DNA sequence: ATGCCGCGTGGGAGCGGTCCCACGGGGTGA
DNA sequence: TCACCCCGTGGGACCGCTCCCACGCGGCAT
């Protein structure tokens, strides 16, 4: 590592920005009037409003957030909490797309987005106090585990909270999720439509709601087609590539005759592909494969992977709007929103 | 999309949190003393300190950020600005790893991280005023274009600013970057060591410093090896997969005899692989290939890609510490830090 | 002309901290 | 014993905003 001093440019001293008082003086009105103009109150004459707006423009005035926040007891900011252990997910489009959606949904409301990565357990434990100390008006949480009680604590502390995904099917907090079950069903139906009949599935960890839902979708599709669900065709992975390989190996051992696989994530599918190739099976010739997430790897593995896409940006936007809702009308009750998925057909099935 | 009302739980009314005054009363001391304890001043007797700490614990007191910020003129938060047009990068480990590093580097200092995605030009234009209005103590910027003047404006406004990467080799602002030139040189030296002699390169857009640096590294390696630099072996891409394909196509046309390619990004390398395969060349048998970034696709394309890894998390941490430095000692001058890269050898070369 | 209404307005109070000045009391040196 | 110092301390004065009360004034009904 090398470090270099850069040529030092001019550096203005601690610039004091104009206050609301200065604007009032310049516009020849009282502080109250300026405040009203800034906050869009209708009870201001056109003349005053014009004068104030001109003064604001001339001075380049921007309200001091801290001062406002102190009296309104709002911060106009929300936190996005991401357990940092989930860095795996972080590098997927999942996080970034949702964040973009959240950001877009928040921007219109003039809300700031605070990114909080909880590195370890102890840090995570402090979070409830931290977040409730009027630091944020609301909290968005991603990748919440089934046994996580932080959301409940926030709820008890009256901090508006919205989750990405739900912890279980008895989730009481507001949340947004994709139609995992429906998406999986469509994926498997696609395999059935391609003439496949011995369709296996690689599931995620069964203590996660997404994993259970995606397995349910698989079952539903088979049942609707009048096919029996064979337990030997179900192997569990852990959403990692290695887990996908191991599951695929197990499936090939138990049911060498399988002609299709539905993997509950693209990353596991990418592991499965390697294992299939190692076993001499061609994809999709011998075995068709469908993944879930439409992540980056889906486009880049060979063959490009047919996968189920979640409307990530829209999920983010919806999370933002649910949260803004909860903030605006506290006690309105929580809402759950399920968004439809879409099957992206590529060459693996 | 479907929406559901969830059962409504209890909802406490606007909870008023204890103030510093309440702590003082409970501890039987003055406000000043409590403030001193909170801010770690040594001028407090052990007795008072103990009393205050107990009162804080009993009341669950947490200082009000807004109130503090109002008087100290600090916000204890920094913004991470990401031009949203760069969403492509966003989904790479690049962003997420740097963000993790930044977050880790900031956490120790009790700083908050504000994520600011600038969606379009107009939004981006407003950013300078927005950020300078004492909203943040400093700014971190990613993916800054060569012609971007926002950093300079921030600098003029005396807002401490640190960039990820530099705009050009005359960059005056503080920044952190990987040793792109050295990394590229090592990559090409690896190809040379493998016996390759006709080594092409696919560059990024030449108006980006990283692209220029990586090309320079390529040149350096050849020159050190006593080989001439052949302009026909240099094709420019744009850091996209399609750009990589097009560049590879051009290279094969101009120099069908090439036996190795150094692509300035993994994504371009992944495009190159497709084109090489289409042309019937085996990788690495006929043509060896090295990429840059060690991104997700590097591990997942076939064959797994040898690539140059940047120490992303450390870059983030370093950015944070440079920024904290600039905030603490304004006018100390800006610094540039270059971090070493590492060649990750896989099967493509 | 007088009273009343309501709109637009000015400005005091206060949000919850930090800063700093002034003050009391114990120790030290003359 | 007295003057001085220093340490720990309490509390007034803000920071820049919003909230809200009270007030002036023109228009309308009486």
């Amino acid at each position: 590592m090398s470090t270099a001093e850069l040529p030092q440019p001019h550096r203005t001293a601690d610039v004091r920005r104009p206050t609301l008082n200065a604007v009032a003086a310049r516009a020849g009105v009282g502080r109250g009037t300026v405040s009203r103009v800034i906050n869009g109150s209708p009870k201001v004459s056109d003349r005053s409003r014009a004068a104030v707006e001109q003064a604001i423009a001339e001075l380049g005035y921007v309200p001091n957030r801290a001062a406002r926040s102190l009296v309104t007891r709002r911060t106009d900011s929300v936190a996005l909490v991401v357990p940092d252990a989930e860095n795996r997910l972080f590098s997927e489009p999942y996080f970034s797309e949702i964040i973009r959606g959240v950001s877009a949904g928040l921007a219109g409301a003039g809300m700031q987005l605070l990114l909080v990565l909880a590195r370890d357990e102890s840090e995570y434990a402090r979070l409830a106090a931290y977040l409730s100390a009027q630091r944020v008006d609301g909290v968005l949480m991603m990748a919440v585990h089934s046994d996580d009680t932080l959301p409940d604590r926030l709820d008890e502390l009256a901090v508006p909270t919205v989750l990405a995904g739900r912890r279980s099917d008895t989730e009481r907090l507001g949340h947004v999720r994709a139609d995992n079950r429906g998406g999986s069903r469509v994926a498997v139906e696609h395999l059935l439509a391609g003439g496949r009949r011995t369709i296996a599935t690689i599931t995620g960890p069964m203590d996660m709601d997404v994993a259970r839902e995606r397995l349910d979708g698989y079952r539903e599709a088979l049942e609707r087609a009048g096919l029996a669900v064979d337990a030997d065709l179900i192997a569990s992975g852990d959403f990692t590539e290695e887990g996908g390989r191991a599951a695929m190996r197990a499936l090939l051992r138990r049911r060498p005759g399988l002609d299709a696989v539905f993997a509950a994530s693209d990353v596991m599918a990418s592991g499965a592909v390697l294992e299939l190739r190692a076993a001499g099976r061609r994809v999709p010739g011998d075995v068709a494969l469908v993944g879930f997430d439409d992540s980056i790897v889906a486009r880049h593995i060979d063959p490009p992977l047919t996968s189920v896409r979640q409307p990530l940006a829209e999920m983010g936007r919806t999370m933002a709007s649910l949260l803004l809702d909860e903030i605006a009308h506290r006690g309105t009750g929580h809402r759950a929103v399920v968004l439809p998925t879409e099957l992206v057909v590529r060459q693996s099935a």
Side-chain angles (χ1 to χ4, degrees), chain A:
Chain A
M1 149 171 161
S2 84
T3 301
E5 297 292 330
L6 265 21
Q8 158 84 18
H10 61 91
R11 201 150 247 321
T12 354
D14 184 27
V15 192
R16 203 90 158 197
R17 303 200 54 93
T19 71
L20 177 141
N21 240 316
V23 175
R26 175 155 199 135
V29 300
R31 289 185 351 265
T33 302
V34 177
S35 178
R36 266 165 239 137
V37 170
I38 292 168
N39 294 293
S41 158
K43 325 183 62 146
V44 182
S45 69
D46 291 346
R47 234 171 46 76
S48 299
R49 182 183 308 279
V52 169
E53 280 169 351
Q54 187 182 344
I56 288 178
E58 288 170 1
L59 264 38
Y61 169 76
V62 182
N64 182 315
R65 253 187 137 87
R68 172 182 291 174
S69 172
L70 182 56
V71 42
T72 59
R73 314 178 159 287
R74 289 179 293 107
T75 61
D76 289 330
S77 63
V78 309
L80 178 68
V81 176
V82 181
D84 199 26
E86 302 301 321
N87 61 69
R88 170 183 56 80
L89 285 175
F90 211 161
S91 61
E92 291 286 312
Y94 186 73
F95 272 62
S96 38
E97 277 301 303
I98 289 195
I99 289 179
R100 292 183 67 202
V102 166
S103 166
L106 250 29
M111 284 271 181
Q112 303 198 313
L113 181 59
L114 225 53
L115 190 61
V116 180
L117 303 191
R119 247 158 305 288
D120 52 44
E121 284 303 318
S122 72
E123 215 174 292
Y124 197 72
R126 273 196 301 264
L127 226 48
Y130 185 87
L131 293 171
S132 69
Q134 80 269 62
R135 281 199 163 83
V136 291
D137 296 343
V139 175
L140 297 169
M141 294 196 64
M142 305 193 65
V144 189
H145 284 279
S146 297
D147 56 350
D148 194 341
T149 58
L150 179 54
D152 301 312
R153 271 177 289 157
L154 289 173
D155 191 49
E156 281 160 26
L157 289 164
V159 179
T161 304
V162 170
L163 313 179
R166 59 182 186 180
R167 288 169 290 176
S168 75
D169 57 2
T170 60
E171 182 62 72
R172 279 181 25 260
L173 264 63
H175 66 273
V176 177
R177 63 183 203 276
D179 181 10
N180 289 299
R181 183 191 301 224
S184 302
R185 199 182 57 232
V186 169
V188 175
E189 282 167 356
H190 176 72
L191 291 168
L192 288 165
R196 314 287 172 159
R197 280 299 172 272
T198 312
I199 304 174
T201 186
I202 300 177
T203 75
M206 294 309 289
D207 60 344
M208 292 180 65
D209 183 71
V210 268
R212 291 191 296 267
E213 287 285 302
R214 290 176 190 178
L215 176 57
D216 283 351
Y218 163 83
R219 286 208 182 96
E220 261 181 43
L222 294 184
E223 284 162 6
R224 287 191 188 187
L227 268 59
V229 176
D230 176 354
D232 276 351
L233 284 172
I234 301 176
S236 68
D238 53 2
F239 283 146
T240 69
E241 181 176 347
E242 191 39 57
R245 289 193 77 140
M248 191 67 244
R249 218 160 25 232
L251 288 171
L252 284 172
R253 191 169 3 93
R254 299 203 295 245
R255 287 287 182 271
L258 59 84
D259 59 9
V261 177
F262 165 61
S265 87
D266 288 351
V267 174
M268 293 195 298
S270 77
V273 155
L274 298 177
E275 204 58 38
L276 285 168
R277 190 173 299 145
R281 316 289 176 104
R282 286 170 312 123
V283 178
D286 302 323
V287 178
L289 182 62
V290 178
F292 208 112
D293 289 341
D294 190 31
S295 71
I296 290 197
V297 303
R299 278 193 301 283
H300 287 282
I301 62 178
D302 180 33
L305 189 68
T306 294
S307 185
V308 180
R309 171 156 59 213
Q310 319 181 48
L312 297 172
E314 190 177 348
M315 286 168 67
R317 249 176 285 126
T318 308
M319 287 176 68
S321 82
L322 283 193
L323 187 61
L324 291 175
D325 239 51
E326 291 214 16
I327 291 171
H329 323 99
R330 301 203 178 217
T332 310
H334 303 151
R335 286 188 305 152
V337 175
V338 180
L339 296 172
T341 60
E342 180 195 354
L343 185 70
V344 180
V345 179
R346 295 203 181 79
Q347 296 163 34
S348 70

